[in-house]
Amino acid sequence: QVTLRESGPALVKPTQTLTLTCTFSGFSLSTSGMSMSWIRQPPGKALEWLARIDWDDDKYYSTSLKTRLTISKDTSKNQVVLTMTNMDPVDTATYYCAHSSRVGATAYFGLWGRGTLVTVSS
Amino acid sequence: QSVLTQPPSVSAAPGQKVTISCSGSSSNIGNNYVSWYQQLPGTAPKLLIYDNNERPSEIPDRFSGSKSGTSATLGITGLQTGDEADYYCGTWETSLSVWVFGGGTKLTVL
């Protein structure tokens, strides 16, 4: 059974760096074809894809946010970490991690975590 | 402004059928698979359709997907009040090597 769980601070101050961790079970991110993405959703708004890391450590970032994002994985801990620098109140959102058993253009998000709400406020 | 265009809202009566459109371009929908996600109020999104028209085993056949050219459509038959949710389409944007979602469609079952 594949499970995903996001964790991180519920509140960050403007200009701070956000670090989110997705801890998963039921698969290994070192298995060929696996990938993990981060997706966020501001309150009342649409989903926004942020970043993806593939089993072979290929990484992809949102065009508008790539200068602020870093995605990494620790296969020994079954974790994927997202850091976002220079946080702003507009970054207030629920952040989800999502799993795909495919990479490349054929990927889709078969399983999502429950999400973690991050509020940016001084 | 989302790369993929969905109607903000659709509505229909219980038992009826509804379709939700998702319009894109040759660099996204036109050359890649489309997937659809259902987000019930207060919950995380859930995969409904992948590879344009494939359903995960746990998704009832009331839900269907199709694609033609640079547009995709989600169909829901036999509407139930429990289908009230936000629905999102998504696909890979080849020109930028990023994933893109539609702006979402709120389904109301009257």
Side-chain angles (χ1 to χ4, degrees):
Chain A
Q1 180 185 4
V2 176
T3 63
L4 311 175
R5 186 183 77 250
E6 305 89 347
S7 59
L11 179 66
V12 297
K13 290 179 167 48
T15 76
Q16 286 187 336
T17 294
L18 170 68
T19 298
L20 295 173
T21 300
C22 178
T23 303
F24 55 87
S25 63
F27 69 96
S28 171
L29 198 46
S30 60
T31 299
S32 175
M34 296 290 175
S35 68
M36 291 287 291
S37 285
W38 284 95
I39 295 156
R40 72 177 179 180
Q41 185 174 38
K45 296 190 177 181
L47 300 171
E48 179 184 18
W49 177 84
L50 300 176
R52 189 183 94 195
I53 188 164
D54 294 347
W55 67 281
D56 57 0
D57 214 38
D58 278 350
K59 300 167 186 174
Y60 303 86
Y61 294 101
S62 161
T63 304
S64 60
L65 293 169
K66 63 182 177 182
T67 61
R68 299 172 54 205
L69 295 173
T70 302
I71 191 169
S72 62
K73 61 182 172 70
D74 185 332
T75 52
S76 65
K77 293 182 179 179
N78 280 353
Q79 291 181 334
V80 173
V81 175
L82 181 76
T83 63
M84 180 180 293
T85 61
N86 195 24
M87 293 292 285
D88 183 271
V90 300
D91 296 313
T92 294
T94 296
Y95 287 75
Y96 298 99
C97 61
H99 166 264
S100 175
S101 56
R102 295 180 182 170
V103 295
T106 66
Y108 58 86
F109 308 115
L111 187 71
W112 298 61
R114 297 177 67 177
T116 185
L117 176 61
V118 178
T119 301
V120 185
S121 174
S122 55
Chain B
Q1 191 78 3
S2 301
V3 172
L4 305 180
T5 302
Q6 298 181 235
S9 63
V10 296
S11 62
Q16 296 300 303
K17 174 181 178 178
V18 72
T19 60
I20 298 173
S21 61
C22 176
S23 177
S25 68
S26 59
S27 61
N28 43 66
I29 291 178
N31 281 286
N32 294 304
Y33 286 129
V34 175
S35 50
W36 289 89
Y37 304 87
Q38 177 194 59
Q39 187 175 32
L40 296 169
T43 69
K46 180 176 77 171
L47 176 68
L48 275 184
I49 297 289
Y50 66 97
D51 291 358
N52 303 330
N53 56 16
E54 297 293 330
R55 281 178 292 105
S57 58
E58 67 273 19
I59 301 300
D61 60 6
R62 300 189 298 109
F63 295 90
S64 64
S66 64
K67 190 183 96 168
S68 178
T70 59
S71 292
T73 301
L74 174 70
I76 311 173
T77 60
L79 277 172
Q80 303 172 0
T81 56
D83 296 332
E84 286 201 334
D86 293 322
Y87 293 84
Y88 294 91
C89 60
T91 190
W92 188 249
E93 170 62 56
T94 303
S95 65
L96 298 173
S97 292
V98 299
W99 182 272
V100 290
F101 284 107
T105 299
K106 182 176 182 60
L107 168 64
T108 300
V109 180
L110 302 169

